[in-house]
């Protein structure tokens, strides 16, 4: 049986190996924004909400 590898032609520095399929909620906290605001932290990725968007 021949398994097709999931390796893109274009690579970026620091990325190697095969791609992995994963669900977003396994790698990030996903909230709908109407029930509970996330707590403020001093590090990590910024939270972007609709109030941060402008024309």
């Amino acid at each position: 049986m021949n398994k097709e590898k999931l390796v893109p032609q274009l690579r970026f520095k620091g990325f190697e190996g095969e791609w992995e399929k994963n669900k977003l909620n396994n790698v990030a906290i996903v909230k709908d924004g109407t029930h509970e605001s996330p707590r403020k932290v001093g590090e990590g990725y910024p939270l972007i909400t609709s109030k941060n968007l402008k024309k």
Side-chain angles (χ1 to χ4, degrees), residues 3 9-10 12 16 18 24 31 38 54:
K3 180 184 172 195
Q9 289 180 346
L10 177 63
F12 296 96
E16 45 188 62
E18 291 188 51
L24 180 60
K31 304 254 182 189
K54 299 181 179 172

Side-chain angles (χ1 to χ4, degrees), residues 3-8 11 14-27:
K3 180 184 172 195
E4 183 181 337
K5 290 195 175 229
L6 299 174
V7 179
R11 299 306 305 225
F15 291 92
E16 45 188 62
E18 291 188 51
W19 287 10
E20 295 178 14
K21 186 174 182 178
N22 209 335
K23 292 187 176 190
L24 180 60
N25 64 351
N26 288 339
V27 295

Side-chain angles (χ1 to χ4, degrees), residues 31-42:
K31 304 254 182 189
D32 67 5
T34 59
H35 297 96
E36 174 187 340
S37 294
R39 62 183 170 79
K40 194 169 191 170
V41 296

